[in-house]
Amino acid sequence: MNEPTQLPCFREAFHRRERRAVPLVRQFVREALVDWACESRADDVLLCVSELVTNALLHGVPPGRGFRVQLHLESADGVLRVEVHDSGDGEVRPVAADPAPDAEGGRGLLLVAALADKWGVGDRDPGKVVWCEFVVRGPDPCPEPYRLADVLSG
């Protein structure tokens, strides 16, 4: 008999380019972390989400457009991946090791690099995806694992 295949926990949200998107995304991510019993690193995850969304709003999302946030939790290895997809042509600048003390910006990705276990940038057409990953400890954090056969049968 075939073993049931577990799908990763997944959530996705789309937001318009507006200032209130940052707290809305934080609430969306906070709810997923609670549902998936991944609250041990919630502060790190939420700070990184705030930084990635703020960067997308300031540098990556053209007026009149929006951005997508995706959360993936692989229950087998306990890795939470946060992705922020934008449709703009803004580039991610290299992380400055030592921003000027009086600079108003330049610390966001430095924080992401310090708090996340991994982070990076990928191409999209149009735009880019900026992501970060966190190792989440504990037994199978997906509350109700799905079997592939159940998903396919509807």
Side-chain angles (χ1 to χ4, degrees), residues 27-87:
Q27 183 62 35
F28 164 74
V29 173
R30 184 180 290 110
E31 289 172 4
L33 294 174
V34 169
D35 290 348
W36 295 340
C38 296
E39 298 168 89
S40 64
R41 295 194 64 193
D43 291 341
D44 292 347
V45 172
L46 292 171
L47 179 57
C48 289
V49 164
S50 295
E51 294 300 336
L52 295 184
V53 169
T54 299
N55 282 349
L57 291 172
L58 292 175
H59 308 295
V61 181
R65 293 194 189 166
F67 65 96
R68 187 168 310 280
V69 176
Q70 293 181 347
L71 304 175
H72 308 263
L73 177 62
E74 293 290 341
S75 59
D77 58 8
V79 173
L80 173 69
R81 182 178 176 105
V82 177
E83 297 181 355
V84 178
H85 298 247
D86 69 50
S87 58

